[in-house]
Amino acid sequence: QFCSTTSGHKMVVPLYTPMDPPPFCSTNMSSTVHNDTLFLLSGFQEGNEESTVAASCMSGGVFGDVEQSGNIPSNRIGAAVAAVGDAMFLYGGEGLDMETMGDLYEGEIKGNTIEWVKRDIEDAIDEDTPKPKAESGEGGDAVPAPAPVASRKSKPMWPSGGRKFAAACPALCKGDTVKFFVCGGDGSDSALKTHCLLFDPGSKKWADAKCSGKSPFPLVKHSLVVVNNCGVVFGGKNPVTGELNGSVSVIDFSTMSWSSPKIGGGVSPKARFSHSATVMSNPFPVMLPNFSVASVKSAGSSAVGDGAEGDEGTNPPVAAKKQSGPKGIWGEGEEE
């Protein structure tokens, strides 16, 4: 658990309480939170090759099934998933044949139901592009105008090559517009650089996230959570060198700038990848086999699941101390 206190930032190991596992047990699942409901999507199940993604949700400490309809995404692992407003976005991932995927799905969330729509570049044709005028033919008959040629000028950007094992979250950007933010991943040249993406749910357009500062990328299988309009990245693995990442990086979405907070003490988790993390304000702790989630009353709690190489989550449980912190990414006077 990453906490901000009067003496700076520190790591603590929160208390966990065992509970029933979710309706399905998968590896490389994607998770996101919508209105204090935790959604788990996709993932690999041994002996199960369903054609569409599996989905489950947890609300009030109880797991349940998610009813899906519409154009349900195909089954995959390592997809970038995030709830933006009342919509669920799922991008990329690795298919059953280990192919890198680059498709984007938007789902309307209504309770424990999701109605999916597949998005593509045709949904985001740039309406500002001047349209060719019709010309007059022989005899004064009108000749239909030629169709506009698809190009970077006439159509907005659409990520090429796809990404797998990236991370995503909602980002409140300039102009008070909440967008779908994707960072890291593998499977294309752009994903191996310090290269992040933004998708605007309103205009249905992708854009390069022009970030400043030193980012932690390239990384795959890292976690990303949002705390007070800052994205907190932990863990992951360098897809080029194989080196594990044990540091914390923060991006301020109001300025799109990266920074590395100084961890002043506490129990730091080991470097790891393929873990999961989320932020919830519900006053109950949770622990699942190989999938750990914790939360306290403060909205400023973020839990990191165990998934370190050679680490089976044997850190002894110690109580997370409640302290009043200065105004920072958790706000003023909040408990951690």
Side-chain angles (χ1 to χ4, degrees), residues 118-127 148-151 154-158 199 203-206:
K118 185 176 181 180
R119 297 298 182 192
D120 56 39
I121 197 169
E122 298 301 329
D123 294 327
I125 293 178
D126 192 347
E127 297 179 353
V149 178
S151 67
S154 63
K155 288 188 177 181
M157 171 197 143
W158 194 269
F199 181 80
S203 65
K204 303 294 185 291
K205 295 178 182 179
W206 283 103

Side-chain angles (χ1 to χ4, degrees), residues 124-156:
I125 293 178
D126 192 347
E127 297 179 353
D128 295 332
T129 302
K131 297 180 180 179
K133 297 181 180 180
E135 298 179 359
S136 298
E138 294 182 4
D141 295 331
V143 178
V149 178
S151 67
R152 296 280 292 196
K153 293 182 178 180
S154 63
K155 288 188 177 181

Side-chain angles (χ1 to χ4, degrees), residues 165 185-186 192 216-223 234-246 272-275 309:
F165 306 116
D186 195 1
L192 294 177
F217 306 111
L219 284 176
V220 296
K221 301 182 178 181
H222 49 292
S223 62
F234 173 77
K237 181 172 68 172
N238 188 306
V240 179
T241 65
E243 180 181 0
L244 300 189
N245 175 41
R272 65 193 64 205
F273 65 99
S274 292
H275 57 289
E309 192 171 52

Side-chain angles (χ1 to χ4, degrees), residues 1 12-19 272 276 284-288 291-295 302-306 313 315-319:
Q1 192 168 33
V12 299
V13 178
L15 289 175
Y16 293 121
T17 301
M19 68 173 294
R272 65 193 64 205
S276 186
F284 58 86
V286 177
M287 181 176 180
L288 303 173
F291 184 88
S292 304
V293 180
S295 59
S302 175
V304 182
D306 289 325
N315 290 334
V318 297

Side-chain angles (χ1 to χ4, degrees), residues 14-200:
L15 289 175
Y16 293 121
T17 301
M19 68 173 294
D20 293 334
F24 62 92
C25 189
S26 304
T27 61
N28 287 301
M29 290 185 294
S30 301
S31 64
T32 189
V33 174
H34 174 258
N35 292 341
D36 282 338
T37 296
L38 174 68
F39 285 85
L40 309 177
L41 290 92
S42 69
F44 174 76
Q45 295 173 271
E46 188 68 33
N48 184 2
E49 296 186 356
E50 294 291 335
S51 59
T52 56
V53 299
S56 178
C57 66
M58 182 189 72
S59 180
V62 179
F63 270 99
D65 293 325
V66 173
E67 297 181 10
Q68 301 183 89
S69 60
N71 194 345
I72 304 174
S74 58
N75 200 4
R76 66 195 66 198
I77 63 175
V81 173
V84 181
D86 289 327
M88 182 81 70
F89 287 89
L90 182 150
Y91 172 66
E94 182 178 280
L96 296 177
D97 296 325
M98 300 184 68
E99 73 276 19
T100 300
M101 311 185 81
D103 46 359
L104 174 68
Y105 290 84
E106 180 178 351
E108 183 181 6
I109 306 173
K110 293 183 178 180
N112 64 337
T113 67
I114 302 178
E115 183 175 357
W116 293 101
V117 175
K118 185 176 181 180
R119 297 298 182 192
D120 56 39
I121 197 169
E122 298 301 329
D123 294 327
I125 293 178
D126 192 347
E127 297 179 353
D128 295 332
T129 302
K131 297 180 180 179
K133 297 181 180 180
E135 298 179 359
S136 298
E138 294 182 4
D141 295 331
V143 178
V149 178
S151 67
R152 296 280 292 196
K153 293 182 178 180
S154 63
K155 288 188 177 181
M157 171 197 143
W158 194 269
S160 61
R163 297 192 185 197
K164 57 185 178 181
F165 306 116
C169 70
L172 180 60
C173 304
K174 289 182 178 180
D176 292 332
T177 302
V178 182
K179 300 181 180 181
F180 179 57
F181 176 78
V182 178
C183 64
D186 195 1
S188 67
D189 291 340
S190 62
L192 294 177
K193 301 176 182 178
T194 56
H195 178 79
C196 304
L197 300 171
L198 284 169
F199 181 80
D200 188 336

